[in-house]
Amino acid sequence: MMGLRFPERLLRVLVAISLLLGITMAGCADDPTSSGSGTAVTASYPSGYAEPVETVTALLAALAADRWEEAARLSVKGQMALMALAEGADLETVSDYLRFGEVGVGINFWAGFVQVSDQFPVGSVENLTLITEQRYEAGGVSFADFGVVSSSSPEGRVFEITTAQGDDELWRVDVIATFVDVLAFRLSETAEITRATRTEDAAVVSAELLRHVPSLEAVLIDPDLSPELRQGVDSALAAIQ
């Protein structure tokens, strides 16, 4: 891991705003073909690529062209639903996203993220450069980190994207690892709640949390991880496992 992450406060603002859009859109969890804004989701996009650099390139192209659904479908399955926890979504809501479709959450997340972020290098894809790539393994899963900069970005401003390889050998954007700054402590709280809650929704969310343990373990490989965030990730892992 390269340790090039957004400041925690900025990330909290970005994710809160973008997820608020997704969570408050009526009907998003009830209809797996809904984008969360009343627009039917009908386009067909790849859900991953054979090489991680292809996935990151496709994500950047989708975000630059406002193709939010394409960006949403490039995320590791189940993680957009869990990202809703960062805005305080309850177990029932997250469970619905997991069972009935999370694409709507992803659409609103990426749309809101780009709109409010002055640090993401938006603009023409031709102006974006992948400056670094680092591959490693965690929890039996292969990961690859990429640093992305824009020709118009201030010096030293780098956005880090983490990708993970699935069982089908396709690479997807690991949203948990990429935005762990705002999610770690919420995952810990949710895991503790699911243990104390004997409902079907709690069981669904608990099982999904366990499935993404490798993403949290990948974050711990970063030697530059702050003590506070390391503690948050450790707490989340302890609660989930």
Side-chain angles (χ1 to χ4, degrees), residues 6 60 63 113-114 117-122 128 157 159 161:
F6 284 161
L60 296 178
L63 296 182
F113 169 74
V114 171
S117 174
D118 63 354
Q119 296 217 13
F120 183 76
V122 294
L128 301 180
R157 179 173 290 182
F159 178 73
I161 299 174

Side-chain angles (χ1 to χ4, degrees), residues 8 16 19 63 73 75 79 83 92 105 118 121 131 139 144-146 149 168 184 202 238-239:
E8 182 175 350
L19 278 174
L63 296 182
R73 294 188 182 279
S75 304
Q79 291 193 352
M83 283 299 288
E92 181 180 359
V105 181
D118 63 354
I131 59 171
D145 291 343
F146 292 87
V149 297
D168 57 2

Side-chain angles (χ1 to χ4, degrees), residues 191-206:
E192 293 176 355
I193 292 173
T194 58
R195 284 185 174 182
T197 307
R198 298 181 179 276
T199 65
E200 181 180 351
D201 291 325
V204 170
V205 176
S206 180

Side-chain angles (χ1 to χ4, degrees), residues 178-199:
T178 301
F179 295 98
V180 69
D181 309 62
V182 295
L183 198 57
F185 290 99
R186 190 69 178 102
L187 291 180
S188 178
E189 295 172 357
T190 301
E192 293 176 355
I193 292 173
T194 58
R195 284 185 174 182
T197 307
R198 298 181 179 276
T199 65

Side-chain angles (χ1 to χ4, degrees), residues 6-219:
F6 284 161
E8 182 175 350
R9 177 176 294 182
L10 176 61
L11 268 173
R12 289 185 184 278
V13 174
L14 295 180
V15 176
I17 293 175
S18 55
L19 278 174
L20 183 60
L21 293 174
I23 292 172
T24 56
M25 293 297 183
C28 179
D30 298 324
D31 183 0
T33 64
S34 171
S35 68
S37 59
T39 302
V41 177
T42 57
S44 176
Y45 294 108
S47 65
Y49 290 87
E51 292 295 330
V53 67
E54 294 179 300
T55 298
V56 175
T57 300
L59 174 70
L60 296 178
L63 296 182
D66 296 349
R67 298 195 301 268
W68 315 124
E69 184 190 344
E70 181 178 355
R73 294 188 182 279
L74 287 173
S75 304
V76 173
K77 184 178 180 180
Q79 291 193 352
M80 275 302 174
L82 294 179
M83 283 299 288
L85 295 170
E87 182 55 29
D90 56 30
L91 294 180
E92 181 180 359
T93 300
V94 176
S95 176
D96 282 346
Y97 289 146
L98 290 170
R99 290 182 293 183
F100 303 123
E102 60 180 351
V103 173
V105 181
I107 288 173
N108 288 291
F109 171 83
W110 286 117
F113 169 74
V114 171
Q115 290 169 4
V116 302
S117 174
D118 63 354
Q119 296 217 13
F120 183 76
V122 294
S124 174
V125 178
E126 286 122 11
N127 294 330
L128 301 180
T129 303
L130 301 180
I131 59 171
T132 54
E133 176 183 356
Q134 182 174 351
R135 298 199 188 200
Y136 54 96
E137 289 194 3
V141 176
S142 295
F143 293 89
D145 291 343
F146 292 87
V148 182
V149 297
S150 170
S151 59
S152 60
S153 294
E155 184 177 357
R157 179 173 290 182
V158 180
F159 178 73
E160 181 179 306
I161 299 174
T162 298
T163 59
Q165 188 176 38
D167 293 337
D168 57 2
E169 299 188 353
L170 295 181
W171 291 82
R172 299 174 177 87
V173 178
D174 193 301
V175 183
I176 289 178
T178 301
F179 295 98
V180 69
D181 309 62
V182 295
L183 198 57
F185 290 99
R186 190 69 178 102
L187 291 180
S188 178
E189 295 172 357
T190 301
E192 293 176 355
I193 292 173
T194 58
R195 284 185 174 182
T197 307
R198 298 181 179 276
T199 65
E200 181 180 351
D201 291 325
V204 170
V205 176
S206 180
E208 192 65 24
L209 288 171
L210 189 60
R211 197 170 71 85
H212 298 288
V213 161
S215 297
L216 293 172
E217 293 178 339
V219 175

